[in-house]
Amino acid sequence: MQAKNGISKKERILDAAEQLFARHGYDGVTLRKIATEAGVDVALANYHIGNKRELFEAVFVRRAELLNQYRAEALTLCEENAGADGPTVEQIIEAFLRPLEMAQETGDDGWQHYLALVAYVNNSPVWGKELMSRHFDKLIKRFIKALRKALPNATDKQLFWCYNYLSGALTLTFAQTGRIDKLSRNACKSSDFQAAYNHMIPFVAGGFRSVCGEQG
Amino acid sequence: MQAKNGISKKERILDAAEQLFARHGYDGVTLRKIATEAGVDVALANYHIGNKRELFEAVFVRRAELLNQYRAEALTLCEENAGADGPTVEQIIEAFLRPLEMAQETGDDGWQHYLALVAYVNNSPVWGKELMSRHFDKLIKRFIKALRKALPNATDKQLFWCYNYLSGALTLTFAQTGRIDKLSRNACKSSDFQAAYNHMIPFVAGGFRSVCGEQG
DNA sequence: TGAATTATTCAACAAATGATGAAATTATCG
DNA sequence: CGATAATTTCATCATTTGTTGAATAATTCA
């Protein structure tokens, strides 16, 4: 049952839920607000997807695989282009971040909302651990493996703490609170993803090098 | 009307609210849960503090000034101990972070809950901008000023973006989701604040240096 | 003590919430 | 077409929510 404009009501529900959950969190959103935003009856979400929790997870899952795919391709590409020593820290971090920037910069607002949702989940004591792990850990371990090769002196403890800081920096950038705009008196704009990622790559790479020591 | 054990019911309400808001967010907590946790009637929060929103802000405000004071003292101290060139990036970052570590490591769980609440607020698109700015911007600008002196080649844009990454890394550490434990197969423990901050200082300092360039 | 102030509890309200069967509508396809 | 299935709407339920006015208890202090 496909609508004429190509967007089914089920997708409209997921889009509306994505935006609202990202902005207000799980408990800050009611099924009625989602339905209203989607222009749909309240009962329809239940018919197509299930209860509220299942709706939340459906939204989270929807783009997760695609995102992993983008990142995996970027990592594979930079590994193929590198010599026998493998890619540099900068190249690995870039492969980790650029797909996100590109997703956020498509005209589609959906990716912006989705990544803000990931930020919410990543920071949530309740959802954070299980949901993030289930969908993203596998690929992250591939990135860590590449970093371990680029930083042969690093211990696992150092690598994973550094990844944690990277994850936090990224998350706050996703969250798009607009706080940095105000603090910097508009020297930085949180909507300027290009600037956010351009600065982030050397920051994070420098951080990894500083903690884990140069190779040799 | 002070209780015999020294903890008034008003304080018990604030403590319970602090813990629950930090864990479940504003909308994930009901006044009844707070009251139950505090061992108090539902109506009492309203009598002592006001409505739900005012309760949330009261919790947020309670420790904000004290936290600013700790950080300000640390910065002043490291500036006094430094030469005419001022403190190094590492010293400034350390002054920014150590008071948080110390607060989290007091036996009192309250500071842990409070900093998790700050993490929630900092990442929240709704609360993030206004509430954080109102209470923390002034002191943060003092820190930025010190960093500007330590990194004379840096532009404001670079400095504030780097601060943003620092803030994000810090926030995720506060949030205590336990995710890093699982990801690293217990090489890192999110409850180990000492390790979290020990690694974070060189990471962030290295990041600043890498983005803003060494001086000279 | 006893009156007055403060603190706490009780009871109840209207509004909103997630959920779900039953009814109505629309699509599918032999 | 006509019947079977998929989709969408409608009406309604029991709970839960934030809030408040009145009643009760505890404290203060003259």
Side-chain angles (χ1 to χ4, degrees):
Chain A
M1 212 154 279
Q2 187 78 347
K4 289 176 184 171
N5 56 5
I7 301 177
S8 69
K9 292 196 173 183
K10 180 180 176 182
E11 285 174 294
R12 291 223 309 272
I13 291 170
L14 289 170
D15 289 342
E18 185 173 62
Q19 171 162 218
L20 290 169
F21 280 140
R23 182 158 182 77
H24 300 102
Y26 179 79
D27 295 293
V29 175
T30 70
L31 293 173
R32 280 170 176 80
K33 282 183 197 157
I34 294 171
T36 301
E37 180 73 21
V40 144
D41 188 86
V42 205
L44 204 53
N46 218 291
Y47 171 74
H48 278 300
I49 295 149
N51 64 22
K52 190 183 178 185
R53 178 167 290 259
E54 290 166 325
L55 172 57
F56 186 87
E57 290 217 16
V59 171
F60 190 84
V61 170
R62 184 167 57 146
R63 299 188 201 254
E65 282 318 304
L66 200 54
L67 185 57
N68 280 331
Q69 189 187 312
Y70 293 156
R71 274 175 160 170
E73 285 168 3
L75 181 56
T76 299
L77 190 70
C78 94
E79 281 176 331
E80 285 173 353
N81 289 344
D85 292 344
T88 65
V89 181
E90 278 79 5
Q91 289 169 329
I92 298 164
I93 302 297
E94 178 136 24
F96 192 71
L97 297 184
R98 285 291 178 211
L100 303 168
E101 183 201 342
M102 288 167 57
Q104 274 172 316
E105 284 190 339
T106 60
D108 180 16
D109 286 338
W111 277 105
Q112 273 188 51
H113 301 148
Y114 178 72
L115 293 179
L117 182 70
V118 172
Y120 164 75
V121 171
N122 195 36
N123 255 278
S124 157
V126 178
W127 303 87
K129 198 166 160 183
E130 198 276 328
L131 206 49
M132 290 296 293
S133 295
R134 178 144 45 93
H135 291 96
F136 294 120
D137 273 9
K138 193 178 170 189
L139 181 57
I140 289 168
K141 284 175 181 168
R142 235 194 98 193
F143 274 93
I144 298 276
K145 197 174 174 182
L147 287 165
R148 195 180 286 121
K149 191 175 177 186
L151 295 161
N153 291 335
T155 66
D156 267 22
K157 193 173 181 181
Q158 291 171 330
L159 282 173
F160 281 102
W161 273 120
C162 286
Y163 169 75
N164 186 247
Y165 308 138
L166 159 57
S167 179
L170 189 54
T171 291
L172 187 57
T173 300
F174 287 165
Q176 281 253 54
T177 62
R179 177 158 149 59
I180 190 68
D181 310 52
K182 185 171 185 184
L183 179 65
S184 72
R185 292 216 200 93
N186 284 318
C188 307
K189 295 189 203 309
S190 51
S191 58
D192 183 0
F193 297 111
Q194 198 119 26
Y197 290 92
N198 283 346
H199 287 83
M200 198 165 170
I201 290 164
F203 183 91
V204 170
F208 267 96
R209 287 191 196 284
S210 179
V211 171
C212 303
E214 294 292 339
Q215 55 180 319
Chain B
M1 210 153 280
Q2 187 79 346
K4 290 174 184 171
N5 56 7
I7 301 178
S8 70
K9 293 197 173 182
K10 181 179 174 182
E11 286 175 295
R12 291 224 308 273
I13 291 170
L14 289 170
D15 288 342
E18 185 173 62
Q19 172 162 216
L20 289 168
F21 280 140
R23 182 158 181 76
H24 300 103
Y26 180 78
D27 295 293
V29 175
T30 70
L31 293 173
R32 279 169 177 82
K33 282 183 198 157
I34 294 171
T36 301
E37 180 73 21
V40 145
D41 188 86
V42 206
L44 203 54
N46 218 290
Y47 171 74
H48 277 300
I49 295 151
N51 65 23
K52 190 182 179 185
R53 179 167 290 259
E54 289 165 326
L55 172 58
F56 185 87
E57 290 217 17
V59 171
F60 190 83
V61 169
R62 183 168 58 147
R63 299 188 200 256
E65 283 318 305
L66 200 54
L67 185 57
N68 280 331
Q69 189 187 312
Y70 294 156
R71 275 175 160 170
E73 284 168 3
L75 181 57
T76 299
L77 190 69
C78 94
E79 281 175 332
E80 286 172 353
N81 289 345
D85 293 344
T88 65
V89 179
E90 277 79 4
Q91 289 168 330
I92 298 164
I93 302 298
E94 179 136 24
F96 192 71
L97 297 184
R98 285 290 178 211
L100 303 167
E101 183 201 342
M102 288 166 58
Q104 276 171 313
E105 285 190 339
T106 61
D108 179 17
D109 287 338
W111 276 105
Q112 273 188 51
H113 301 149
Y114 179 72
L115 293 179
L117 182 69
V118 172
Y120 165 75
V121 170
N122 195 36
N123 255 278
S124 157
V126 177
W127 303 87
K129 199 167 161 182
E130 198 277 329
L131 207 47
M132 290 295 293
S133 295
R134 178 142 47 94
H135 291 97
F136 294 119
D137 273 9
K138 192 179 169 188
L139 181 58
I140 288 168
K141 283 174 181 168
R142 236 194 97 192
F143 274 93
I144 298 277
K145 197 175 175 181
L147 286 165
R148 194 181 287 123
K149 191 175 178 186
L151 295 161
N153 291 334
T155 65
D156 267 21
K157 192 172 180 180
Q158 291 171 330
L159 283 171
F160 281 102
W161 274 119
C162 287
Y163 169 76
N164 185 247
Y165 308 138
L166 160 57
S167 179
L170 190 53
T171 291
L172 187 58
T173 300
F174 287 165
Q176 280 252 57
T177 62
R179 175 157 150 60
I180 190 68
D181 309 52
K182 185 170 184 184
L183 179 65
S184 73
R185 291 215 200 95
N186 283 319
C188 308
K189 296 191 203 310
S190 51
S191 59
D192 182 0
F193 297 111
Q194 198 118 26
Y197 290 92
N198 283 346
H199 288 82
M200 198 166 170
I201 289 164
F203 183 91
V204 170
F208 266 96
R209 287 192 195 284
S210 179
V211 171
C212 304
E214 294 293 340
Q215 54 179 318

